[in-house]
Amino acid sequence: MRKNVAVDIQQVTKIYGTGNAAVTAVNNVTLQIYDNEFLTLLGPSGCGKTTLLRMIAGFEDMTKGHINLFGEEIEDLPPNQRPVNTVFQHYALFPHLSVYENVAFGLRRLKKSEAEIDHRCKEVLALTQMEALAERRPSQMSGGQQQRVALARALAPNPKVLLLDEPLSALDLKLRQAMRDELKQLQQKTGITFIFVTHDQEEALAMSDRIVVISEGKVQQVGTPQAVYEAPANRFVANFIGEANMLEASCKTTGKNMTFTLVGGGTLKISTPDVAAGDAVTIMIRPEKVKVLAKTGKKTTPSSLQMEAKVIEQTYLGSVTHLDLACDGQTLKACINQGAHASFATGDEVLIEIPADNCRVLRS
Amino acid sequence: MASPHRKSKFRPIWDFPGFGGLSVGFFAFLYVPILVLVAYSFNGSKFAMVWSEFSWRWYLKLLENDDIHSAAINSLIVAFFAAPAATIMATLAALVMVRGGPFRSRAFTAGLITLPLMVPEIVTAVATLIFFALLNINLGLINIILAHTVFCIPFAYMPIRAALEAMDPGLEVAAQDLYADRWDAFRYVTLPLLTPGIMSGFMLAFVISIDDFIITLMVAGAGSTTLPVYIYSMIRTGVTPEVNAVSTLLLAVSVILVSVYWLLSSANRKGEAIG
Ligand SMILES: Nc1ncnc2c1ncn2[C@@H]1O[C@H](COP(=O)(O)OP(=O)(O)O)[C@@H](O)[C@H]1O
Ligand SMILES: [Mg+2]
């Protein structure tokens, strides 16, 4: 089944300013966002996420490119004529209006009947669990409640696409985690396409159908949370999402299984289609895939590289323990489950094992 | 626990000898004459400076003085037209300056709007007089209304601009996101939020217009005397207790308007803290 494209972003570039002061905020971005999808734009602060959202909403002109909404050109439509609503980072609730009137604002501008407005307001206030506070002013509510009102207000006109610009960043940790689940459920219940912006990789992994990783205005990778975590396209993605060990290596033999020789010595046989003999590459392995054994331990998997290492620091985190290991002049990170293994002390000489199956070859 | 005798290098200013006395003297110099004026407006004696008994006598006499009536009515008419006109122009100016985005000569325009606050009033007065004379505009009260409208604009402008600057422009963006065109965004978001600021601008313009003397004295022709100008002409023939009474009334009107202005602007500040 072919998926319906909700937002089609074609080679969009945004340059602020001119001459020496020019800043390329969005650089030649091409992206299809599907109908009924929870898509996350993930990247560090200043990478152009907000600018991209503002261009979809119509608050910013594009320097180059096109954006289509369900197959229709929207470039010439002002923001108030685009069937798109936004949950703003700082909510931007109208302080002079009650919660109910905030939620009704969009419907009133669309000239809906009073009965329709009342019905829809009650519906979205129930959906966001804010019925009880309908008569309050925004100033009489907590941050979490204001957040729900902002959500209700943006959902009320039943937009085709909902844009959320770091909506959880102003909340405290507990609330943020609870809201993640709620937002995800809300998206599934309403069937509205969500474009969610965050710089928090954990948030992105927890909520998204697909993640778009952005750096310096460019798309680095588009994929499911699993794909971007397990098969990052480049060093930036590998480092930005989760933790990663990077081993410099060179590619030796051609064939289905290539042999990679690490700069510090040792070889790994990995099957990968992406590189040619002679390429200098980086081999990435996640800390939880690095096995740590006692010095006398036996190799557990045949296709793995074994190295001697020394524990230089350990951090106990309850369910897991993080180890910093000195190995061949560089520091590797490992993350081991509590209980399953013997515990290690700082200064211990250990053996580490890098399974070839869990390695990912990145071009340097 | 902090020691209550901890020595600080910096003493609060009221610790310096003579500071208390100086400030008491300052306030006394400012307010005692006004208090005396108000008290003596209730003096039964017909000599302005000799106290006899409490009486409404001079207020009753004011009621019978047709000249004062017409002067007071002239003052109200002028303020009634000049203050709203000045407020509307000030609001438009503030919208352009704060929300209009960058334009050429923006800083120059900003200075031009508020410059009249720094030009000596007598200069404005003489210039306005010459202007009307040259163009041969002789429309009685309308001359005064025109002059007041113009010089009240910067007074109305200041609080309105401050209120607009304190307002989050993100709210107008949110309104547009929710299908409001620019007019709707102004009408349903900007204007209601700006109303306290506009009201305080209006109050200020109204008080300034009611109280103005120098410009009005220059511009007013025969038959269009306002209250401050009339009071001045009364004093020239000696300070009568009637002057005390009418001054007290003028003071009361000003105090009431300024209090309303203050209440509105503090409500405004509270709004900001929340928004
Ligand atoms: N109105 C603007 N004028 C000039 N530069 C801007 C403007 N808005 C954003 N930028 C610049 O564009 C880049 C991307 O900004 P933004 O889209 O806000 O990033 P993000 O939302 O990912 O933090 C930044 O370098 C920022 O400084
Ligand atoms: Mg941003």
Side-chain angles (χ1 to χ4, degrees):
Chain A
M1 199 182 86
R2 259 190 77 80
K3 282 186 249 177
N4 216 349
V5 176
V7 185
D8 191 2
I9 300 171
Q10 288 292 341
Q11 297 171 328
V12 167
T13 294
K14 173 71 190 181
I15 300 171
Y16 288 111
T18 49
N20 282 339
V23 176
T24 307
V26 172
N27 193 346
N28 198 23
V29 167
T30 295
L31 181 64
Q32 273 82 46
I33 300 164
Y34 300 117
D35 195 12
N36 195 4
E37 175 176 43
F38 196 122
L39 182 109
T40 298
L41 303 178
L42 173 66
S45 174
C47 73
K49 308 179 295 288
T50 297
T51 303
L52 194 55
L53 273 200
R54 287 174 60 84
M55 288 191 289
I56 297 170
F59 295 116
E60 213 73 70
D61 290 331
M62 292 173 278
T63 309
K64 265 188 246 156
H66 303 277
I67 296 180
N68 287 6
L69 202 70
F70 290 95
E72 277 175 56
E73 283 263 346
I74 53 166
E75 272 155 72
D76 297 328
L77 293 182
N80 57 312
Q81 288 173 23
R82 299 188 184 195
V84 167
N85 288 136
T86 309
V87 178
F88 294 93
Q89 189 163 6
H90 300 292
Y91 316 141
L93 297 176
F94 304 125
H96 60 301
L97 299 178
S98 66
V99 165
Y100 182 91
E101 281 305 320
N102 263 281
V103 175
F105 192 92
L107 297 166
R108 289 201 193 287
R109 302 291 85 73
L110 289 171
K111 307 258 187 303
K112 302 283 185 202
S113 74
E114 202 58 45
E116 210 174 334
I117 292 173
D118 195 54
H119 176 255
R120 182 64 185 155
C121 282
K122 293 206 166 115
E123 196 172 51
V124 288
L125 285 171
L127 206 58
T128 51
Q129 296 157 34
M130 290 302 293
E131 309 113 298
L133 303 182
E135 293 313 316
R136 290 246 188 122
R137 288 290 175 93
S139 57
Q140 299 166 318
M141 296 188 300
S142 70
Q145 291 167 335
Q146 292 185 26
Q147 155 84 95
R148 283 161 191 273
V149 177
L151 204 56
R153 184 178 72 172
L155 284 171
N158 206 7
K160 287 182 170 171
V161 177
L162 188 72
L163 309 177
L164 302 104
D165 193 355
E166 311 211 16
L168 307 185
S169 63
L171 304 180
D172 59 57
L173 184 67
K174 261 266 160 27
L175 203 51
R176 203 152 70 214
Q177 285 168 343
M179 281 306 286
R180 276 182 203 167
D181 300 339
E182 218 170 301
L183 273 179
K184 181 76 195 163
Q185 281 169 12
L186 210 54
Q187 192 271 326
Q188 284 162 351
K189 252 191 253 176
T190 57
I192 295 172
T193 306
F194 275 35
I195 304 180
F196 182 89
V197 162
T198 183
H199 62 260
D200 181 338
Q201 42 108 4
E202 225 178 278
E203 223 165 79
L205 292 174
M207 299 165 77
S208 322
D209 292 327
R210 284 193 307 157
I211 297 175
V212 180
V213 186
I214 303 176
S215 167
E216 294 177 355
K218 283 193 195 137
V219 173
Q220 304 294 322
Q221 188 173 4
V222 183
T224 61
Q226 206 173 357
V228 292
Y229 184 77
E230 289 179 5
N234 56 37
R235 292 185 68 131
F236 175 82
V237 176
N239 276 320
F240 193 73
I241 299 175
E243 299 228 46
N245 292 306
M246 300 288 185
L247 306 165
E248 304 303 325
S250 60
C251 183
K252 271 289 159 62
T253 47
T254 43
K256 188 168 175 287
N257 276 322
M258 295 192 172
T259 304
F260 295 91
T261 309
L262 302 189
V263 171
T267 57
L268 276 165
K269 280 199 170 63
I270 305 170
S271 84
T272 176
D274 300 338
V275 289
D279 283 354
V281 296
T282 301
I283 291 175
M284 192 275 310
I285 182 152
R286 297 288 182 192
E288 69 274 14
K289 302 292 189 195
V290 174
K291 294 198 171 119
V292 185
L293 313 166
K295 190 98 197 242
T296 53
K298 277 218 182 90
K299 205 171 186 175
T300 52
T301 26
S303 64
S304 68
L305 172 67
Q306 218 168 29
M307 289 187 285
E308 288 183 357
K310 188 174 175 180
V311 180
I312 51 176
E313 187 157 348
Q314 60 168 344
T315 315
Y316 174 76
L317 291 173
S319 60
V320 294
T321 298
H322 284 185
L323 297 177
D324 282 349
L325 302 153
C327 174
D328 266 340
Q330 65 173 325
T331 305
L332 296 184
K333 288 185 167 63
C335 172
I336 56 173
N337 273 323
Q338 213 58 46
H341 300 267
S343 59
F344 302 99
T346 305
D348 278 1
E349 301 276 342
V350 294
L351 277 182
I352 59 171
E353 205 174 285
I354 298 174
D357 293 348
N358 299 123
C359 290
R360 169 91 188 155
V361 179
L362 306 172
R363 244 184 275 243
S364 294
Chain B
M1 221 177 87
S3 154
H5 300 295
R6 198 171 47 188
K7 271 197 185 149
S8 165
K9 249 174 143 176
F10 301 101
R11 293 162 64 189
I13 189 161
W14 52 84
D15 258 16
F16 286 93
F19 179 83
L22 200 64
S23 38
V24 169
F26 172 78
F27 283 116
F29 188 73
L30 194 61
Y31 287 113
V32 168
I34 294 177
L35 289 175
V36 169
L37 179 144
V38 171
Y40 272 82
S41 73
F42 297 103
N43 183 5
S45 162
K46 73 169 182 258
F47 301 105
M49 289 304 142
V50 183
W51 181 267
S52 63
E53 72 209 316
F54 179 88
S55 136
W56 291 99
R57 178 177 168 189
W58 305 111
Y59 290 93
L60 294 174
K61 194 147 181 245
L62 281 184
L63 283 177
E64 292 158 13
N65 187 332
D66 287 342
D67 288 345
I68 286 192
H69 282 183
S70 68
I73 287 169
N74 280 346
S75 277
L76 287 175
I77 290 174
V78 169
F80 189 81
F81 286 103
T87 307
I88 289 170
M89 288 191 221
T91 305
L92 296 176
L95 284 170
V96 171
M97 295 309 295
V98 180
R99 288 289 194 266
F103 56 89
R104 250 182 345 134
S105 66
R106 190 175 182 284
F108 179 71
T109 312
L112 215 54
I113 295 173
T114 49
L115 190 65
L117 296 175
M118 276 155 277
V119 173
E121 201 182 340
I122 186 71
V123 175
T124 312
V126 172
T128 311
L129 175 65
I130 295 170
F131 176 76
F132 282 140
L134 276 179
L135 294 183
N136 208 7
I137 301 175
N138 260 318
L139 302 170
L141 271 189
I142 294 179
N143 278 20
I144 305 180
I145 291 172
L146 286 176
H148 279 213
T149 301
V150 173
F151 86 81
C152 283
I153 289 173
F155 290 96
Y157 172 77
M158 302 299 275
I160 297 172
R161 186 194 63 185
L164 198 54
E165 276 174 349
M167 205 179 115
D168 176 11
L171 296 176
E172 285 144 355
V173 171
Q176 285 183 56
D177 188 63
L178 292 160
Y179 312 105
D181 55 31
R182 292 186 69 155
W183 166 247
D184 280 347
F186 175 73
R187 180 169 162 207
Y188 296 109
V189 176
T190 317
L191 192 58
L193 287 170
L194 200 55
T195 301
I198 292 175
M199 284 310 291
S200 41
F202 172 76
M203 295 290 170
L204 208 54
F206 199 90
V207 170
I208 297 286
S209 168
I210 286 269
D211 287 354
D212 181 72
F213 172 67
I214 300 177
I215 292 175
T216 316
L217 181 69
M218 292 281 178
V219 175
S224 45
T225 305
T226 63
L227 206 48
V229 175
Y230 185 76
I231 293 172
Y232 179 68
S233 70
M234 282 168 92
I235 290 175
R236 285 205 303 197
T237 59
V239 181
T240 63
E242 233 177 323
V243 171
N244 289 345
V246 70
S247 301
T248 303
L249 284 181
L250 195 54
L251 178 70
V253 170
S254 288
V255 167
I256 288 168
L257 287 174
V258 171
S259 309
V260 172
Y261 159 72
W262 186 83
L263 286 175
L264 283 174
S265 55
S266 71
N268 213 9
R269 273 195 298 281
K270 264 185 225 144
E272 272 162 43
I274 300 158

